[in-house]
Amino acid sequence: MTTLFYSAGSPYARICRMALREGGLADRVEERETTLRDAAASVLPHNPVGRVPALLLDDGVTLTETTLVLHWLDRMGSTPRMLPQDAHGMAAYGRVLGLLDGIAVWNRELRRPVHERSPGVIALEEARAARVADALEQDVATGAYAQLDAAFLALAAVLGYADRRHTVWRWQEGRPSLAAWFATAAARPAFAETLPPPSGI
């Protein structure tokens, strides 16, 4: 059986876990939680990079990185298809992945001891997140991210991550359209079933 390795705190893996549920593939893919940054992690024999998501196929091939996993889920018959097929959809998906990458860097920096943190990196990523969130506020106000696809799930994952694991970022302030969009997305069962554990940052 195809197996998806994930970590409950990973927003990248969460996108794929929500896609399984939304695409009708939950009964065809086993979800297996793994530790990260651990020499004994169960994912390492299949993905020596040690990152999630990692999709182990029936023939032993392992696909890594969110977009590649979503591509394979589409090939498995996900309904609806998850990866956008047009330029606007791909741009929307890419914008959110860029936001997620920046927040991951920001969050990682804040987890360092205070004397090891880079104020420049923190300021850069905080400004980037605010800039992208302002653009997303305009996007959702004009009807973007309404279709259930990878862009929708990625936006739900990144805002959900900020709410529970990167609370220093007050993304809702001054962005009523984005906050309303998130409230609707958060009501979906796939979102509730994949909530990450809270963190103190």
Side-chain angles (χ1 to χ4, degrees):
M1 187 177 191
T2 300
T3 301
L4 177 68
F5 288 92
Y6 75 95
S7 168
S10 167
Y12 299 95
R14 189 184 187 194
I15 294 168
C16 298
R17 297 180 68 211
M18 288 192 289
L20 287 179
R21 290 159 172 78
E22 297 286 9
L25 298 175
D27 61 344
R28 295 176 56 192
V29 178
E30 175 191 354
E31 294 178 75
R32 187 179 303 173
E33 189 168 8
T34 182
T35 53
L36 300 176
R37 299 178 182 85
D38 172 11
S42 60
V43 72
L44 287 178
H46 311 287
N47 177 21
V49 176
R51 293 170 58 178
V52 293
L55 190 69
L56 175 62
L57 306 183
D58 295 342
D59 61 2
V61 172
T62 301
L63 301 176
T64 63
E65 305 301 331
T66 304
T67 302
L68 295 181
V69 172
L70 292 177
H71 173 72
W72 196 261
L73 297 184
D74 281 346
R75 287 190 56 167
M76 289 179 66
S78 176
T79 305
R81 291 178 62 91
M82 290 298 155
L83 287 179
Q85 301 299 300
D86 62 273
H88 289 290
M90 287 188 283
Y93 177 54
R95 173 172 288 182
V96 179
L97 285 186
L99 173 62
L100 181 51
D101 289 345
I103 289 176
V105 171
W106 182 7
N107 186 270
R108 192 177 305 119
E109 200 67 27
L110 292 178
R111 291 181 186 276
R112 299 180 188 275
V114 173
H115 68 279
E116 294 182 6
R117 296 176 186 173
S118 168
V121 169
I122 293 171
L124 174 67
E125 298 304 342
E126 185 174 6
R128 188 200 313 273
R131 187 171 61 245
V132 177
D134 287 343
L136 289 169
E137 169 71 11
Q138 297 301 314
D139 289 343
V140 299
T142 55
Y145 298 94
Q147 180 177 334
L148 181 60
D149 61 6
F152 180 101
L153 296 181
L155 184 53
V158 69
L159 297 180
Y161 180 83
D163 260 13
R164 294 178 68 84
R165 299 182 65 79
H166 193 69
T167 58
V168 296
W169 185 36
R170 307 296 186 184
W171 63 266
Q172 304 95 329
E173 294 178 0
R175 302 183 183 100
S177 295
L178 195 57
W181 181 95
F182 179 68
T184 299
R188 300 187 69 86
F191 186 94
E193 292 169 10
T194 58
L195 278 176
S199 171
I201 291 180

